[in-house]
Amino acid sequence: MKNRSKSIVVVGSINTDMTIKAEWLPRPGETILGGRFFTAQGGKGANQAVAAARLGAPVGMIAKVGCDALGNASVASLAHEGIDTTGIISDSVNPSGVAMILIDAQGENVIAVASGSNMALTAAEVAEKKEMLASADIVLMQLEIPIPAIVEAAREAKRGGATVILNPAPAPKEPLPAELLSLVDILIPNQTEAELICGVAVTDAQSARQAAEQIAAMGVGIVVITMGSKGVFTFDATTGQSEMIVAERVQAVDSTAAGDCFCGALAVALGRGDALAEAVRFANRAAAISVTRRGAQPSLPYLKELQ
Ligand code: RIB
């Protein structure tokens, strides 16, 4: 018998995505014409929060936006999704986060982010939200906010008994603090992020297992390595079991937020009691739908599309 959806608090970024879909990605110095421009709600944190909310979980968000029209629109949009926005702080100094995105005909993207207020979220501000963190069943985070804020959220989450899930994206420039990894229950890196964290180049199931074992030795309970078309590799440190789960095949239109969709969906599925492999299959299906549609949050599926 499955449990009801557990509550998820996302601590992370909120951006407005400004996107041009073009035939190809321009090289340095090249100008290309003929693209189509659109804006959408984005940011890895907000995307993961919306993915989880659309798939049926009660979701709250701790984040920081600027006192500007973009930030106001982002918060209103999250509230419209049914997300508790009382943990979102207004920043009177920095502007809201913006991402400039280029997408080619195959749906591949390049993204540059002006983090603005996202990178002004402090550990002290997160500590002020400790009641929200303590009441969560799952706390889900990424790396588009300062590391001290993430560490503080992980500490408070563990104090309250929540499961801590970290998606270490975008790939960290510095090694992650040992304390943070020791507080993480489930880590969801891609191949690049896994290599940056443990030093093992992940190319196949064998190297993924080596990397996952090294990451588990840092204190992480479950490692889920997303490997693009190769699939998703899972490792459970408690049982020592690992598995490679095949990827869904779809015609991609826009891969923006596919990873975020995967993380939000995985949190929902694990929260309602799915076994790890079953949860990964559910998250794969959700992410596969998201890449067939354009935009970050507009592409995220609803539960009824997965039933
Ligand atoms: O993961 C996709 C997201 O990364 C985009 O929505 C963009 O805002 C950047 O944060």
Side-chain angles (χ1 to χ4, degrees):
M1 170 91 167
K2 298 251 174 83
N3 302 318
R4 285 180 45 235
S5 292
K6 295 230 170 106
S7 65
I8 299 174
V9 168
V10 176
V11 187
S13 59
I14 297 176
N15 292 332
T16 301
D17 292 352
M18 306 213 175
T19 302
I20 293 177
K21 172 126 176 134
E23 271 301 299
W24 67 89
L25 304 177
R27 290 161 304 189
E30 183 184 15
T31 301
I32 55 171
L33 301 180
R36 291 184 60 197
F37 173 75
F38 60 94
T39 63
Q41 295 299 334
K44 291 185 191 305
N47 296 344
Q48 294 184 15
V50 171
R54 288 189 185 169
L55 295 172
V59 178
M61 188 157 185
I62 296 173
K64 198 167 191 181
V65 293
C67 296
D68 48 35
L70 295 181
N72 293 343
S74 297
V75 176
S77 175
L78 292 169
H80 184 71
E81 298 284 344
I83 293 168
D84 176 0
T85 59
T86 56
I88 301 178
I89 298 163
S90 288
D91 184 338
S92 57
V93 176
N94 301 286
S96 296
V98 171
M100 306 296 287
I101 304 178
L102 291 170
I103 303 169
D104 70 13
Q106 286 71 46
E108 284 301 327
N109 63 32
V110 290
I111 304 180
V113 177
S115 297
S117 52
N118 291 303
M119 277 298 171
L121 182 66
T122 66
E125 287 167 330
V126 169
E128 282 169 21
K129 306 291 177 194
K130 64 176 172 223
E131 278 167 25
M132 192 168 175
L133 290 162
S135 69
D137 295 309
I138 295 170
V139 172
L140 175 59
M141 298 185 282
Q142 323 71 33
L143 299 183
E144 285 191 327
I145 57 172
I147 295 289
I150 297 169
V151 174
E152 185 61 25
R155 283 188 198 128
E156 293 296 346
K158 293 302 273 189
R159 257 182 225 131
T163 298
V164 175
I165 305 181
L166 179 66
N167 168 220
K173 291 203 190 80
E174 307 284 330
L176 293 177
E179 183 193 357
L180 176 58
L181 289 168
S182 75
L183 293 167
V184 170
D185 297 295
I186 303 170
L187 191 80
I188 315 173
N190 64 18
Q191 289 162 272
T192 311
E193 292 150 4
E195 180 175 353
L196 282 166
I197 289 167
C198 71
V200 176
V202 177
T203 54
D204 54 15
Q206 199 185 353
S207 52
R209 166 107 196 181
Q210 282 170 6
E213 282 179 356
Q214 295 225 6
I215 292 169
M218 299 171 189
V220 175
I222 291 175
V223 184
V224 177
I225 305 178
T226 57
M227 298 176 62
S229 59
K230 293 196 179 83
V232 177
F233 182 87
T234 63
F235 177 72
D236 184 334
T238 310
T239 61
Q241 284 186 340
S242 60
E243 190 172 350
M244 179 69 100
I245 297 163
V246 292
E248 303 267 327
R249 292 197 169 275
V250 285
Q251 189 69 41
V253 168
D254 177 356
S255 61
T256 309
D260 302 329
C261 183
F262 179 90
C263 294
L266 190 72
V268 171
L270 291 172
R272 72 185 175 203
D274 286 12
L276 182 56
E278 193 184 355
V280 167
R281 283 188 196 97
F282 176 80
N284 270 347
R285 286 198 291 130
I289 292 173
S290 79
V291 301
T292 65
R293 307 197 285 229
R294 71 172 207 178
Q297 289 169 36
S299 73
L300 302 171
Y302 292 85
L303 189 55
K304 60 179 183 288
E305 298 178 81
L306 289 158
Q307 285 170 333

